[in-house]
Each structure stands twice: as C-alpha cells, then as structure tokens.
Amino acid sequence: MPGTLFIVTAPSGAGKTTLVRALLARDAQVQLSISYTTRDPRPGEQDGREYHFVDVDTFRTLRDRGEFLEWAEVHGNYYATSRVWLKEQIAAGRDTLLEIDWQGAQQVRKAFPDAVGVFILPPSFEELEVRLRGRGTDSDAVISRRLLGARGEMRHVGEFDYVIINNDLQPAIEDMVAVVRAARLRYANQHARHLHYFDFLEQD
Amino acid sequence: MPGTLFIVTAPSGAGKTTLVRALLARDAQVQLSISYTTRDPRPGEQDGREYHFVDVDTFRTLRDRGEFLEWAEVHGNYYATSRVWLKEQIAAGRDTLLEIDWQGAQQVRKAFPDAVGVFILPPSFEELEVRLRGRGTDSDAVISRRLLGARGEMRHVGEFDYVIINNDLQPAIEDMVAVVRAARLRYANQHARHLHYFDFLEQD
C-alpha cells in the first residue's frame, strides 16, 4: 500500500508555506517530510516531529552510508533529507510532502521516480518583486539577490508535473488539495491499495 | 490555449452517468463531447447540443474522409465521434469529456495522446451484480451477459490514468472534480495558458 511523495518547490515569496499549511489542515492523510539536523532542539520541539535530532557523529555516519538524498550545512549545523526514512513512509502508505529547492527536487526525483512534483508560482514576476519589497526590512541589494535567486528557481518550473499560480489564496488551496487527491487515484496507487480487486479484474 | 480531453469509461452499473452529470453541475468549464448521428432529433433535442444531426450521405462522406475516431451502427442508425470536432474544441481551450467504451478509448488515445483517461469501478464485482440484478426487469440470461460484458470492460482498467471506485457517491464526485482540476494544472496546460509568463521565466 504505497503512499505518494509530493515534492513542493517555489521561489521565496510565492506563498508556499501558507499553501502547504492550508493543505495539511484540509487533508489529514498528508504528512510533512521530517529532516535530520544536528542543531539543538528549541523549546517545544520534539524528536521525530519537527526534526530527527542527531549528533554530528551520527549525522556523518548516516551520510557516509548514503542514507541521505541531500544534505547541507547552514550556520554551522547540518541538515539532511533521509532517503531511507522517506522510503519507509511511502512503503507504509503515508503520503509525504517534501518542501525543497529545484536542485534537491532533482535528487529526489532520481530516487523516487513516482514522486509528484508541484511548483508554486507567484502571479507574475512583477508581483513577486512587490511582495519581496513589501516586507520593507531588506536593502535593495538583498532584494536584488532574492529576485535573482527566485528567477533561477523559476527557470526550472518545466521539471515539475503540476504548476499552481498563487494569484488568489483560496483557489490556490483548492488546487493543492486537488493535486493530492488526484494523485491518489492514479492507476498504480489504486492498484496497490486494492490489490485483490484489481488482481481479480485483470486475471485471465 | 489548449483544453484537456477527458476519456471516461465504466462498466454498466458503475454509476458513470450520475458522476458525469454531477461533475458538469460542479464545473462549468467542462463540456460533454457531442456525437454525430443519422437518427432523427427527438422533441426538444437541438442540433449541436445533444448531437450533430446529419443525413446518411453526409455521415458517410465524413466517415470516408477519415474525420471520425470511431463509428457504429445501432438499430439502423449511425453514431460517430468526430476527431475533427474534438481537435477544434481542445484547440479552442474547451475541456471536453467523452464517455466511451474501452475500445473507443484506445482509438481516442492514439489521436489524443494527452487525453486524461478515467475509469470508474463499482465497489466490487459482487456489488455490481447486486446493482444489475436490482433493476429487477431483466432475465438471468441478460444479467449474465451484462456481467460478462462488465468484466470484459473492467479488464482494461490498467489502460487508464485514474481509477475512481464509486463506493460512496459524494467522495466519488469529489474525485472526479479533483481529477479535472488537477489536469488543468499540468505543466503543459499551464504553459499553454500563460505563454508569456512561462516564456519569460524559461528564456536564457
């Protein structure tokens, strides 16, 4: 009874976090992917819920064993997406959503060819600039760098199965919900979930 | 701005007609495919709405020109699905739904490789038998023949992109709506619908 892996990618400012949060509130069958990290848990964080908290030695061992799809060092802490953990979740039938950049998405796609890729776009590039400037806290140089980064991310939209243009929040949420619902109805998923029925239908 | 062609196939008794009607009521962007026929219009029927009504000579001309995807004679009247008409609808951006059997679906798929195939299954083969018997008007021989036909149809479920198991009507309607909504979000459809935006994003 395999679940579906959803890869969700977006440039900063497209509204990904809001959309993903709304999806999780609407569809209790979807869980977020849980990363590994070497940073300390913050108050209220729980091992196996926000992150898999591990020490540096454990992290390196898992990494050197090839258990990670990708890893990165940010401000002196390690972060990683575990291929092994994801495989377990999918095999157990748990639909799992992974927020990741386009480079990470490429790695994930190699290991999970049946993953469903969703790219979230802002209504337009101009609107993205307005949104990024609207925060009002950043210098022009920072905003220019973010826009360049966003543009670089958006060039990879063609590598994704579905594109949601986040113009209005409510329709965009309906889009997310529909993509997830439809993915479960794909032949291979239905077959896996209703094995006896399909075997009976398709036998000679 | 190309639309999407939806192919919907089901054995008799799976509830296809009800589901399709509910989808059309929910999603005004979807139209039914309109067949060609040589039979006379019934009171209230309108040319180009229920059917394209044509005389036998016209029908044969269109057929011999290869304009039809498939055609059949039923009770002395001809019926056909027009490849040319469907191409026009899809090219004009109109999402069009075609109810057809598995053989017809194979023909349509060859001409429209981007068509989205949806197969509707009853909850189980036993339940299908109950439904077909439940009508109470048919002899055992007729019911047996229908069950055999249904089984023959259902063996082709694997040729379809999506499978909806019509156990409860409401979730099955949500499934139909989700499949249609998600199809519009596929990269190729979004690209075609937002050409300037995507060209801008993807240029070098």
Side-chain angles (χ1 to χ4, degrees):
Chain A
M1 179 170 155
T4 299
L5 178 61
F6 297 95
I7 307 171
V8 180
T9 303
S12 164
K16 182 182 61 165
T17 307
T18 310
L19 279 179
V20 168
R21 219 172 270 165
L23 170 70
L24 296 176
R26 276 278 293 277
D27 189 330
Q29 302 295 101
V30 183
Q31 66 171 349
L32 276 185
S33 170
I34 301 169
S35 299
Y36 278 71
T37 185
T38 58
R39 82 155 165 75
D40 291 329
R42 292 177 191 142
E45 284 185 342
Q46 216 175 287
D47 185 41
R49 193 178 67 187
E50 283 78 11
Y51 285 95
H52 301 288
F53 294 101
V54 291
D55 59 34
V56 174
D57 279 350
T58 306
F59 190 96
R60 288 191 174 133
T61 304
L62 294 171
R63 183 192 66 190
D64 296 345
R65 252 196 243 150
E67 291 208 5
F68 294 154
L69 279 171
E70 49 130 41
W71 66 277
E73 198 187 330
V74 182
H75 304 310
N77 293 308
Y78 289 121
Y79 294 86
T81 306
S82 166
R83 185 178 45 76
V84 172
W85 182 82
L86 278 176
K87 290 254 185 228
E88 284 168 5
Q89 301 304 306
I90 300 308
R94 293 189 197 107
D95 293 335
T96 305
L97 190 151
L98 180 62
E99 300 181 58
I100 203 162
D101 65 13
W102 69 267
Q103 281 144 315
Q106 288 187 344
Q107 296 305 314
V108 176
R109 232 174 263 123
K110 277 181 209 158
F112 296 86
D114 294 333
V116 172
V118 182
F119 199 97
I120 300 166
L121 283 178
S124 67
F125 201 71
E126 294 71 31
E127 171 63 21
L128 184 69
E129 186 167 353
V130 170
R131 286 185 190 177
L132 290 178
R133 285 195 189 283
R135 297 179 180 176
T137 50
D138 303 305
S139 68
D140 277 2
V142 168
I143 290 167
S144 294
R145 210 174 56 223
R146 283 224 186 99
L147 276 170
L148 205 67
R151 179 70 187 282
E153 193 86 43
M154 289 154 90
R155 288 167 56 88
H156 293 272
V157 60
E159 297 162 18
F160 290 75
D161 302 299
Y162 296 102
V163 182
I164 295 176
I165 300 179
N166 189 6
N167 207 334
D168 288 314
L169 184 62
Q170 277 310 317
I173 292 172
E174 295 305 320
D175 287 345
M176 279 292 281
V177 170
V179 164
V180 168
R181 186 167 190 127
R184 292 192 185 116
L185 301 171
R186 289 180 302 175
Y187 169 77
N189 287 56
Q190 290 282 52
H191 190 141
R193 214 173 303 127
H194 304 275
L195 212 50
H196 294 300
Y197 189 12
F198 279 68
D199 280 351
F200 165 75
L201 290 180
E202 294 178 327
Q203 77 199 353
D204 282 324
Chain B
M1 180 170 154
T4 300
L5 179 60
F6 297 95
I7 308 170
V8 180
T9 303
S12 163
K16 181 181 62 166
T17 307
T18 309
L19 278 180
V20 168
R21 219 172 270 163
L23 170 69
L24 296 176
R26 275 278 294 275
D27 190 330
Q29 303 294 101
V30 183
Q31 65 171 352
L32 274 186
S33 171
I34 301 168
S35 299
Y36 279 71
T37 186
T38 59
R39 80 155 166 75
D40 291 329
R42 292 179 191 141
E45 285 185 343
Q46 215 174 287
D47 184 42
R49 195 179 63 188
E50 282 78 12
Y51 286 95
H52 301 289
F53 294 100
V54 291
D55 59 33
V56 173
D57 281 349
T58 307
F59 190 97
R60 287 191 177 134
T61 305
L62 294 171
R63 183 193 63 189
D64 297 345
R65 251 196 244 151
E67 292 208 4
F68 294 155
L69 278 171
E70 49 130 39
W71 65 277
E73 197 187 332
V74 184
H75 305 308
N77 293 308
Y78 291 121
Y79 295 86
T81 306
S82 166
R83 186 178 44 76
V84 172
W85 182 83
L86 277 177
K87 290 254 186 230
E88 284 167 7
Q89 301 304 307
I90 300 308
R94 291 189 198 107
D95 293 334
T96 305
L97 189 151
L98 180 61
E99 300 181 57
I100 202 161
D101 65 11
W102 70 267
Q103 281 143 318
Q106 289 187 343
Q107 297 304 313
V108 176
R109 232 173 263 124
K110 278 179 207 157
F112 297 86
D114 294 333
V116 172
V118 182
F119 199 96
I120 300 166
L121 282 178
S124 67
F125 201 71
E126 294 70 31
E127 172 64 21
L128 184 70
E129 187 166 354
V130 170
R131 286 184 190 178
L132 290 177
R133 285 195 189 284
R135 297 177 181 177
T137 51
D138 304 306
S139 69
D140 277 3
V142 167
I143 289 167
S144 293
R145 210 174 56 223
R146 282 223 187 100
L147 277 170
L148 206 65
R151 178 69 187 282
E153 193 85 44
M154 287 153 90
R155 287 167 56 88
H156 293 273
V157 60
E159 297 163 17
F160 291 74
D161 301 299
Y162 296 102
V163 182
I164 295 175
I165 301 179
N166 189 6
N167 206 334
D168 288 312
L169 185 60
Q170 276 312 317
I173 292 173
E174 296 303 323
D175 287 345
M176 279 292 281
V177 170
V179 164
V180 169
R181 186 167 190 127
R184 291 192 186 116
L185 302 172
R186 290 179 301 174
Y187 169 77
N189 287 55
Q190 290 282 51
H191 190 143
R193 213 174 302 126
H194 305 275
L195 212 50
H196 293 301
Y197 190 12
F198 280 69
D199 281 352
F200 164 75
L201 290 180
E202 294 177 326
Q203 75 200 355
D204 283 324

